[in-house]
Every structure is written in structure tokens, then in C-alpha cells.
Amino acid sequence: MTPSTVQWQVTTHGPDQAIALGRCIGQAIQTNLFIALSGDLGAGKTTFTKGLVAGMGIPAPVTSPTFTLINDYETERGLQARRLVHVDVYRLETASTAELDGIGFSDLMDDLEAPDTPGLLVLVVEWADRLGPLLPQHRLDVISAPHADDPDARLVTLRAWGLTAESLLQHSQKAWR
Ligand code: ADP
Ligand code: MG
């Protein structure tokens, strides 16, 4: 059964607002979550992730995972631990299961679905559309597109799949502004 969806569209005017949007969502996350980022090079996927990491209270400078493929950010371990793993699958040949196993992605998916793992895990994937059938059904999609009139504006479409992501999105939308 396909999970239910809720959608929210926001225009961000400049990178600061893109970071603020990520922060707004990062602050509202309360359960493990998969976030699928899409949009062309320069759309703002990494910029948005900077905000997510900050919003989750992880004090780390975020850099692009284009070459490292996976960047791992976390607070200190413990009950309140929060971890964000930032993956970029752009450079993978096929994003096949074997290739994803090789970069540790499959283990991360298992961790995400392990209900009794302490702390919070958020898996953020740039170019997530390349995952094909490996894309989880329950997730938050963040689709960034250029704006016709302003080179520093992006139309961001946030689409929640499933109840957890839906309630996160509704909560974030109320908190925005
Ligand atoms: P991606 O990861 O999608 O390739 P980046 O986040 O690395 O994109 O780059 C986006 C670039 O566009 C950055 O240089 C950022 O400063 C700039 N930018 C300008 N306006 C925006 C906006 N509204 N949202 C996101 N990035 C923006
Ligand atoms: Mg990027």
C-alpha cells in the first residue's frame, strides 16, 4: 500500500533562507527519518542539509559529500544522541544494491529501521531519485528547483510520505516564520 502524502511548497530567497528552512525541519525531527533530496547541481541540496544538521543541534561544519560519498555528523553518544548521515549517490555508477552495500548504505538503512536503537538517526541522500526501488516508501522528499525571476531563489517542494513524515512536515510548516 502506498503511504499517504502531504505537500508544502516554499520559495527560499538566498542560501540563508535555505539554511533556515533546513534548520526549521531539523529542529522538528523526533523519529528516525529518511530525507530524499533532488534537484540539479547547485539547486541547494547541500545548503539545505547545513540547516538540517544545525537544527538537530549537531555542532559540525557541513561539507559536500560529492567526493567522500558519505559524511557522518553526530552529537556525543547517549540517550539523546543525534546523528545525521549525509550521502551523495551522484557519482555512483549505477546505484545498484552491490554498489550501495560497498559504501555502507545498506547497513545505514538497517539502522534507520531498527526501532530500539537509542538516539535519533537521519539519513539524507542527495540525488535520491537514483536509488530507484531502494528508495524507502516512508520518507520526506525535498525537491529544489530554480526560480525563473531570481537566480538566488529556489522553489522547494517538500513532500511527506507516511504518517511520521507528515506530522513532521505539518509541525515544521507551523513553525516556519
Ligand atoms: P547542490 O548540493 O544541490 O548541488 P549546493 O547547496 O551545493 O547545491 O549549492 C547551491 C548554491 O546556490 C550555493 O552556492 C548557494 O549559496 C547558492 N544559492 C543561492 N540561492 C540559494 C537558495 N535560495 N537556496 C539554496 N542555495 C542557494
Ligand atoms: Mg550537493
Side-chain angles (χ1 to χ4, degrees), residues 8 11 15 35-37 46 48 55 57 59-61 70 74 79 97 109 112 123 144 150 160 166 170 173 176:
W8 172 34
T11 300
I35 302 183
L37 303 182
T46 298
F48 174 82
I70 291 195
E74 58 187 330
L79 277 181
T97 314
M109 286 302 290
L112 200 69
L123 190 51
S144 221
D150 177 359
E166 274 183 18
Q170 282 158 344
Q173 195 170 358
W176 180 244

Side-chain angles (χ1 to χ4, degrees), residues 20-92:
L21 182 63
R23 187 190 298 265
C24 175
I25 289 162
Q27 281 170 342
I29 297 174
Q30 279 170 5
T31 49
N32 286 4
L33 180 69
F34 187 99
I35 302 183
L37 303 182
S38 51
D40 285 340
L41 279 175
K45 301 180 292 299
T46 298
T47 305
F48 174 82
T49 308
K50 287 182 184 177
L52 282 174
V53 171
M56 285 177 67
I58 308 173
V62 173
T63 55
S64 174
T66 306
F67 297 104
T68 52
L69 304 184
I70 291 195
N71 288 337
D72 207 328
Y73 305 100
E74 58 187 330
T75 59
E76 286 184 20
R77 300 275 163 97
L79 277 181
Q80 300 294 314
R82 290 176 300 284
R83 178 179 178 208
L84 183 145
V85 182
H86 187 190
V87 186
D88 190 336
V89 296
Y90 184 70
R91 291 175 72 244
L92 296 183

